[in-house]
Amino acid sequence: MYVGNANVDAPGDAGWLLGHFKPVDDVRHSEDVEIKWGVHKRGDERAQWVRGERRTALLLLVSGRFRVELPDRDVILSEQGDYVVWGQGVDHSWYAEEDSVVMTVRWPSIPGYQVSAEGSARQEEESPSPVA
């Protein structure tokens, strides 16, 4: 069992609370699903578009105003509970139009696209880092 607080735990793994990147002996380790608690200041944006996504994702607005950018359209999440789901292979990015809190669920939990601290994009290989 694990009891925590998303605002306290999330910053330790770039917002990710559950997924393949947690230690195998941690109840939060999962190869089925990943869950992220994203706290974003107004103007925060993804450093680079995710290309070649291998997971399905759901992004749910908890508070604020958040834009999810997809190839054919932008989706504005403005009311608490608004969400968007996209499938494997859908490129995407995001922008916080206001201070926002969002929850992301991705499945399955597999190594995938990440942006390094320097802002360069790469495919995860052995790295357990869940940045996305």
Side-chain angles (χ1 to χ4, degrees), residues 32 50 55 60 72 122:
D32 297 319
V50 173
R55 298 160 289 205
L60 170 80
D72 297 331
R122 68 177 182 80

Side-chain angles (χ1 to χ4, degrees), residues 12-72:
D13 264 333
W16 293 99
L17 301 173
L18 187 143
H20 75 276
F21 34 77
K22 295 292 186 184
V24 175
D25 60 348
D26 188 323
V27 70
R28 296 169 299 161
H29 175 87
S30 173
E31 294 182 11
D32 297 319
V33 67
E34 300 171 354
I35 297 176
K36 181 178 185 179
W37 185 256
V39 178
H40 301 283
K41 293 288 186 192
R42 176 185 213 141
D44 281 356
E45 61 185 336
R46 189 153 176 46
Q48 295 185 13
W49 274 65
V50 173
R51 306 226 184 261
E53 178 61 78
R54 297 182 299 159
R55 298 160 289 205
T56 299
L58 173 145
L59 190 141
L60 170 80
L61 182 69
V62 176
S63 64
R65 184 176 170 93
F66 202 79
R67 180 174 70 228
V68 177
E69 300 167 339
L70 301 165
D72 297 331

